[in-house]
Short mmCIF file of all heavy atoms in Angstrom, two decimals:
data_model
loop_
_atom_site.label_atom_id
_atom_site.label_comp_id
_atom_site.label_asym_id
_atom_site.label_seq_id
_atom_site.Cartn_x
_atom_site.Cartn_y
_atom_site.Cartn_z
N ALA O 46 -10.50 -37.10 -41.77
CA ALA O 46 -11.44 -37.95 -42.51
C ALA O 46 -10.67 -38.94 -43.40
O ALA O 46 -11.05 -40.11 -43.50
CB ALA O 46 -12.38 -37.10 -43.35
N VAL O 47 -9.60 -38.49 -44.03
CA VAL O 47 -8.79 -39.37 -44.87
C VAL O 47 -8.15 -40.46 -44.01
O VAL O 47 -8.14 -41.64 -44.39
CB VAL O 47 -7.72 -38.56 -45.64
CG1 VAL O 47 -6.66 -39.46 -46.23
CG2 VAL O 47 -8.36 -37.71 -46.72
N ASP O 48 -7.61 -40.09 -42.86
CA ASP O 48 -7.00 -41.07 -41.96
C ASP O 48 -8.03 -42.10 -41.49
O ASP O 48 -7.74 -43.30 -41.45
CB ASP O 48 -6.37 -40.38 -40.75
CG ASP O 48 -5.14 -39.54 -41.12
OD1 ASP O 48 -4.60 -39.73 -42.23
OD2 ASP O 48 -4.74 -38.69 -40.30
N ASN O 49 -9.23 -41.64 -41.16
CA ASN O 49 -10.30 -42.57 -40.75
C ASN O 49 -10.65 -43.51 -41.90
O ASN O 49 -10.84 -44.71 -41.68
CB ASN O 49 -11.54 -41.81 -40.30
CG ASN O 49 -11.35 -41.12 -38.96
OD1 ASN O 49 -10.45 -41.47 -38.19
ND2 ASN O 49 -12.17 -40.13 -38.69
N ALA O 50 -10.74 -42.97 -43.10
CA ALA O 50 -11.06 -43.81 -44.26
C ALA O 50 -9.96 -44.83 -44.50
O ALA O 50 -10.24 -46.00 -44.80
CB ALA O 50 -11.27 -42.94 -45.50
N ARG O 51 -8.71 -44.43 -44.36
CA ARG O 51 -7.60 -45.36 -44.55
C ARG O 51 -7.62 -46.47 -43.51
O ARG O 51 -7.27 -47.61 -43.80
CB ARG O 51 -6.26 -44.62 -44.49
CG ARG O 51 -5.98 -43.87 -45.76
CD ARG O 51 -4.57 -43.31 -45.79
NE ARG O 51 -4.36 -42.60 -47.04
CZ ARG O 51 -3.80 -41.42 -47.15
NH1 ARG O 51 -3.35 -40.81 -46.07
NH2 ARG O 51 -3.65 -40.86 -48.32
N ARG O 52 -8.01 -46.13 -42.27
CA ARG O 52 -8.11 -47.15 -41.23
C ARG O 52 -9.22 -48.15 -41.55
O ARG O 52 -9.17 -49.30 -41.12
CB ARG O 52 -8.36 -46.51 -39.87
CG ARG O 52 -7.10 -46.10 -39.15
CD ARG O 52 -7.37 -45.80 -37.68
NE ARG O 52 -8.32 -44.74 -37.47
CZ ARG O 52 -8.02 -43.44 -37.43
NH1 ARG O 52 -6.79 -43.06 -37.56
NH2 ARG O 52 -8.96 -42.54 -37.23
N LEU O 53 -10.25 -47.72 -42.26
CA LEU O 53 -11.38 -48.59 -42.58
C LEU O 53 -11.11 -49.48 -43.80
O LEU O 53 -11.85 -50.45 -44.01
CB LEU O 53 -12.63 -47.76 -42.82
CG LEU O 53 -13.21 -47.06 -41.59
CD1 LEU O 53 -14.38 -46.19 -42.00
CD2 LEU O 53 -13.64 -48.06 -40.54
N ILE O 54 -10.09 -49.18 -44.57
CA ILE O 54 -9.82 -49.95 -45.79
C ILE O 54 -9.66 -51.44 -45.50
O ILE O 54 -10.27 -52.26 -46.19
CB ILE O 54 -8.61 -49.36 -46.55
CG1 ILE O 54 -9.02 -48.06 -47.23
CG2 ILE O 54 -8.07 -50.34 -47.58
CD1 ILE O 54 -7.89 -47.30 -47.89
N PRO O 55 -8.86 -51.87 -44.51
CA PRO O 55 -8.75 -53.31 -44.25
C PRO O 55 -10.10 -53.96 -43.91
O PRO O 55 -10.39 -55.06 -44.36
CB PRO O 55 -7.78 -53.41 -43.07
CG PRO O 55 -6.99 -52.15 -43.10
CD PRO O 55 -7.93 -51.11 -43.65
N GLU O 56 -10.93 -53.26 -43.14
CA GLU O 56 -12.24 -53.82 -42.80
C GLU O 56 -13.11 -53.94 -44.05
O GLU O 56 -13.80 -54.95 -44.23
CB GLU O 56 -12.93 -52.93 -41.76
CG GLU O 56 -14.27 -53.48 -41.32
CD GLU O 56 -14.96 -52.62 -40.28
OE1 GLU O 56 -14.31 -51.77 -39.65
OE2 GLU O 56 -16.18 -52.81 -40.11
N VAL O 57 -13.06 -52.94 -44.90
CA VAL O 57 -13.84 -52.99 -46.14
C VAL O 57 -13.35 -54.14 -47.01
O VAL O 57 -14.15 -54.89 -47.58
CB VAL O 57 -13.75 -51.63 -46.89
CG1 VAL O 57 -14.31 -51.75 -48.30
CG2 VAL O 57 -14.49 -50.55 -46.11
N GLN O 58 -12.04 -54.29 -47.11
CA GLN O 58 -11.49 -55.39 -47.90
C GLN O 58 -11.90 -56.74 -47.31
O GLN O 58 -12.23 -57.68 -48.04
CB GLN O 58 -9.97 -55.28 -47.99
CG GLN O 58 -9.50 -54.13 -48.84
CD GLN O 58 -8.01 -53.90 -48.76
OE1 GLN O 58 -7.36 -54.27 -47.79
NE2 GLN O 58 -7.46 -53.26 -49.78
N GLN O 59 -11.89 -56.84 -45.98
CA GLN O 59 -12.30 -58.08 -45.33
C GLN O 59 -13.77 -58.37 -45.61
O GLN O 59 -14.15 -59.51 -45.88
CB GLN O 59 -12.05 -57.97 -43.83
CG GLN O 59 -12.34 -59.23 -43.06
CD GLN O 59 -12.07 -59.07 -41.58
OE1 GLN O 59 -11.99 -57.97 -41.04
NE2 GLN O 59 -11.94 -60.18 -40.89
#
Side-chain angles (χ1 to χ4, degrees):
V47 166
D48 292 344
N49 288 341
R51 283 189 180 135
R52 273 194 300 273
L53 291 175
I54 286 174
E56 182 180 343
V57 169
Q58 290 172 337
Q59 184 180 19

